[in-house]
Amino acid sequence: MQNSEISRLFDDLADLLEIDGANAFRLRAYRNAARLISDLPEPMADIVADSERSPDELSGIGKDLAKKIVTIVETGSLPQLEEMQEKIPAGVVDMLRLPGLGPKKAAVLFHDLSITNLDELKAAAEQGQIHSLKGFGKKTETSILEGLARAQESIGRVFLADAKPQADAIVDSLAKLPSVKQISTAGSLRRRRETVGDLDVLITADDSTEPMNALAEHELIEQVLARGDTKQRVRLRSGLEMDLRVVPEESYGAALQYFTGSKDHNIVIRRRAQDRGLKINEYGVYRGDESIAGRTEEDVYAAVDLPWIPPELREDRGEIERAENNALPTLIELSDIRGDLHMHTTATDGTATIAEMAAAAKARKLKYIAITDHSKRVTMAGGLDADRLRAHWKEIEKVNAATSGIEILRGIECDILEDATLDLPDDVLAEADWVIAVLHYGLKQPQAQIHERLLTAIKNPHVNIIGHPTGRLIGKRPGAEMNISEILKAAADHGVMMEINAHPSRLDLNDTSAAAAKDLKIPIVISTDAHAVTGFDVLQYGIYQARRAGLEKKDVANTRTWAQFKKLLR
Ligand code: DGT
Ligand code: CA
Ligand code: CA
């Protein structure tokens, strides 16, 4: 049982209780527990398994919560949560994904209009039944309809960062079976898309009985949905579904190529095969009845006169032409990264001190970090004004002087205000080692205003980079309205860098925009936006997004040493 799963169960429980009208105190206890557990650097399961330890040794976890944690770790579930799930339909919880719809409003829709799923919500909004409810209005009704259109695209999809650890755990245990020869994930997960619809796993095995039985009994699996000789479909406890396919060894490469997709990429590959008088399918590449390739992916691509193409690029966005011209990029890897330039501490909304963040970064072999707490506009996080920021920077200098092996830079994440001014005066920004400018508020402003704000930041000589440039939250909130290529051109003209924020719900810039930034030779920085020592773990997901954008080590500025990096600063 991973910390993220335990944490999710407490969050789910809090959502359900809030819809049910439970008191705020109880809710807060569960939400705090969820956050504490997801930020915990060691597996909660280890604490539970250790007879000399108990979860209530952690501050913030009392006896009652500790008992619940033990139940979750030992049984994979929580009776109280199951009771609430009986009481409140899953479709009501789905409503929480819509912007502007919190548990209180969801409860009203459920109790007053008996709405139990998104389809019924849509019908009620279209029929104008919602705006007259207490606490709702025309604006809420319209934003529900807009949110529904977006939710339709994202419903049932989960963040890669949630899906991948589950897929890895299953692959690791199946790989250990004596009968399993080869194993790999396929599908969107292998292409490292930011969200995943379902998991696809391929194996070659002497006999499909052992792996299929093992999968059915795996601790992450809730139910077997279908089972045949070569294919099994299961549902995980998290709700995610997975296809396991058992293929012959001589077809493994062809099946891997086929089931990795994308469909668009495969259509072009199939056409290339036809042009060469070949037929290609999940079993192999054929000339007439004769199989000429299929054992490895390399063989399959070679049969259509191409080098092997990294899965992250298989989206039919020019990768086949590049492969043909031997111009495929050498994609960046996690180990190329030397610094992380976006993170928070207890000075604002982080949970760790400067020294703790530095120690955690050092343990991850980073050579430099920038501490970039919030500016004052972000009142919710206790954002810093000029005085507090200067005091914070003094503190950073002290910790830096006392710490060896890592450079700790004095940074700031400065808000670009709604009126297109910056949240801190120029003379303060001028003293920083590193200034990230970001949009947090007023994301729904018209494009012209958003552009004015971004251009103010880009033209300010002290701003080094635009952080999470569009402000999107995947599946939840669209980014601000902007013409990204115009913004990128301005950034290129003024020597401003662009961030790939590695947080799994942001991944902003996205793959296509990051590719456009690369084309304009804009240095890209992949940062974690860590709010806790465990926050560094998401770096990998920023790297995946960068790989999907075709970025190489040289395209990403924080692969350089700090001395080299400094030369890139305007
Ligand atoms: P997902 O699961 O929605 O995140 O996206 P994928 O890409 O994993 O799609 P999935 O799971 O439906 O199928 C896995 C791969 O199998 C897909 O990328 C391409 C291949 N595939 C599946 N069905 C078809 C099909 O009907 N035609 C073709 N050409 N390929 C298919
Ligand atoms: Ca899939
Ligand atoms: Ca599938």
Side-chain angles (χ1 to χ4, degrees):
M1 195 94 194
Q2 292 163 352
N3 286 352
S4 61
E5 290 178 85
I6 305 171
S7 165
R8 192 171 41 79
L9 292 185
F10 280 116
D11 263 334
D12 289 353
L13 180 59
D15 284 345
L16 287 164
L17 286 170
E18 193 167 2
I19 294 171
D20 200 42
N23 76 51
F25 179 76
R26 265 175 84 204
L27 299 176
R28 200 159 340 116
Y30 291 130
R31 296 225 194 271
N32 287 345
R35 179 158 177 193
L36 197 143
I37 295 164
S38 78
D39 286 348
L40 194 68
E42 67 179 315
M44 185 60 95
D46 289 358
I47 298 180
V48 171
D50 188 335
S51 61
E52 312 211 323
R53 303 180 64 189
S54 159
D56 59 11
E57 72 186 39
L58 302 164
S59 76
I61 304 279
K63 285 250 173 320
D64 177 60
L65 270 174
K67 252 197 223 148
K68 291 195 167 67
I69 291 168
V70 172
T71 307
I72 291 173
V73 171
E74 286 175 352
T75 69
S77 164
L78 192 62
Q80 199 190 1
L81 177 63
E82 286 173 2
E83 247 168 62
M84 291 306 299
Q85 284 166 335
E86 300 262 305
K87 197 164 162 190
I88 294 168
V92 177
V93 180
D94 286 343
M95 293 198 257
L96 302 182
R97 299 169 57 122
L98 301 178
L101 259 194
K104 286 201 184 67
K105 284 203 167 95
V108 173
L109 293 166
F110 175 45
H111 292 299
D112 293 9
L113 293 183
S114 306
I115 291 173
T116 61
N117 60 50
L118 294 180
D119 288 338
E120 291 168 10
L121 179 65
K122 185 161 183 240
E126 282 168 351
Q127 291 160 20
Q129 293 175 11
I130 287 174
H131 66 265
S132 54
L133 291 171
K134 195 169 164 343
F136 292 73
K138 275 268 185 241
K139 231 176 126 183
T140 315
E141 194 167 80
T142 313
S143 83
I144 285 175
L145 281 169
E146 283 169 8
L148 277 169
R150 182 165 307 280
Q152 234 99 61
E153 291 164 23
S154 65
I155 219 93
R157 300 193 68 83
V158 306
F159 293 154
L160 179 63
D162 290 331
K164 189 164 179 296
Q166 300 178 60
D168 288 347
I170 292 172
V171 165
D172 285 352
S173 57
L174 294 186
K176 291 195 187 103
L177 299 171
S179 62
V180 172
K181 295 232 151 73
Q182 290 155 292
I183 183 161
S184 174
T185 55
S188 53
L189 184 114
R190 184 164 179 243
R191 303 198 311 281
R192 311 302 193 217
R193 269 194 65 180
E194 55 200 32
T195 63
V196 167
D198 72 355
L199 305 179
D200 301 278
V201 174
L202 296 184
I203 60 174
T204 60
D206 297 332
D207 173 43
S208 68
T209 314
E210 186 186 46
M212 285 189 182
N213 287 347
L215 181 62
E217 282 155 26
H218 193 278
E219 55 172 4
L220 286 181
I221 301 306
E222 183 179 81
Q223 198 189 342
V224 175
L225 301 170
R227 178 167 173 170
D229 287 341
T230 61
K231 185 179 161 182
Q232 186 176 25
R233 186 162 178 90
V234 296
R235 182 163 55 239
L236 281 66
R237 285 204 318 256
S238 64
L240 200 56
E241 296 184 0
M242 173 181 146
D243 287 321
L244 175 72
R245 291 183 175 85
V246 186
V247 304
E249 272 177 71
E250 61 273 18
S251 296
Y252 183 66
L256 197 51
Q257 200 285 325
Y258 181 91
F259 289 110
T260 295
S262 68
K263 268 182 200 158
D264 291 339
H265 173 89
N266 285 354
I267 287 169
V268 183
I269 297 295
R270 253 198 320 271
R271 210 161 47 220
R272 278 183 77 91
Q274 282 159 8
D275 290 347
R276 287 162 176 73
L278 303 173
K279 215 185 90 199
I280 195 166
N281 59 29
E282 64 263 52
Y283 301 106
V285 186
Y286 299 87
R287 177 170 285 116
D289 288 337
E290 184 206 358
S291 165
I292 63 159
R295 200 166 278 274
T296 70
E297 267 194 332
E298 282 82 355
D299 295 347
V300 172
Y301 281 103
V304 292
D305 302 317
L306 291 174
W308 181 83
I309 298 175
E312 291 94 330
L313 298 178
R314 299 182 194 173
E315 298 289 348
D316 187 25
R317 291 182 189 149
E319 74 277 8
I320 292 162
E321 209 177 15
R322 269 182 214 118
E324 189 158 48
N325 298 328
N326 265 317
L328 283 174
T330 305
L331 299 178
I332 181 171
E333 291 181 23
L334 183 61
S335 56
D336 293 331
I337 295 289
R338 300 195 199 197
D340 187 344
L341 294 173
H342 190 158
M343 69 192 63
H344 299 266
T345 68
T346 47
T348 59
D349 58 350
T351 59
T353 62
I354 302 163
E356 287 165 347
M357 290 303 275
K362 220 174 120 171
R364 285 166 170 80
K365 305 223 158 42
L366 294 176
K367 297 294 183 206
Y368 55 95
I369 56 172
I371 304 290
T372 55
D373 275 297
H374 288 289
S375 62
K376 64 181 191 300
R377 174 67 178 86
V378 191
T379 45
M380 238 170 39
L384 305 172
D385 61 15
D387 288 346
R388 284 181 63 212
L389 178 57
R390 283 184 167 125
H392 186 41
W393 281 344
K394 281 231 165 67
E395 203 50 45
I396 294 171
E397 277 168 24
K398 254 199 245 161
V399 178
N400 190 35
T403 311
S404 65
I406 188 162
E407 184 79 18
I408 313 168
L409 304 161
R410 300 164 316 132
I412 179 72
E413 177 177 12
C414 181
D415 259 65
I416 310 169
L417 303 178
E418 292 93 318
D419 66 357
T421 60
L422 292 177
D423 198 15
L424 287 162
D426 277 5
D427 63 315
V428 179
L429 297 181
E431 293 168 22
D433 296 320
W434 177 246
V435 175
I436 307 175
V438 294
L439 301 171
H440 279 133
Y441 298 94
L443 289 173
K444 286 186 176 162
Q445 288 179 340
Q447 177 171 312
Q449 181 64 10
I450 295 289
H451 277 202
E452 192 191 335
R453 292 168 73 187
L454 287 168
L455 292 177
T456 301
I458 287 168
K459 288 177 186 163
N460 183 300
H462 308 300
V463 168
N464 300 115
I465 188 166
I466 306 296
H468 46 72
T470 75
R472 72 160 176 174
L473 291 178
I474 297 172
K476 252 198 179 150
R477 166 178 102 193
E481 199 143 323
M482 69 180 74
N483 178 335
I484 190 74
S485 45
E486 243 175 71
I487 298 301
L488 292 176
K489 275 193 200 99
D493 287 348
H494 288 85
V496 169
M497 303 184 187
M498 282 282 157
E499 180 180 82
I500 292 180
N501 188 294
H503 195 278
S505 68
R506 290 194 180 272
L507 293 171
D508 183 10
L509 298 175
N510 71 4
D511 47 6
T512 52
S513 296
K518 170 187 163 134
D519 287 344
L520 290 167
K521 304 208 160 40
I522 297 172
I524 290 163
V525 175
I526 307 172
S527 288
T528 61
D529 206 349
H531 283 70
V533 292
T534 51
F536 292 113
D537 294 341
V538 303
L539 185 56
Q540 177 72 75
Y541 297 93
I543 301 294
Y544 291 146
Q545 190 76 313
R547 290 171 63 89
R548 287 179 56 81
L551 302 191
E552 306 195 322
K553 182 177 177 183
K554 67 173 166 45
D555 301 318
V556 176
N558 53 325
T559 60
R560 292 168 169 70
T561 64
W562 176 241
Q564 292 168 327
F565 188 103
K566 265 199 290 198
K567 293 183 195 153
L568 295 174
L569 296 176
R570 58 205 301 207

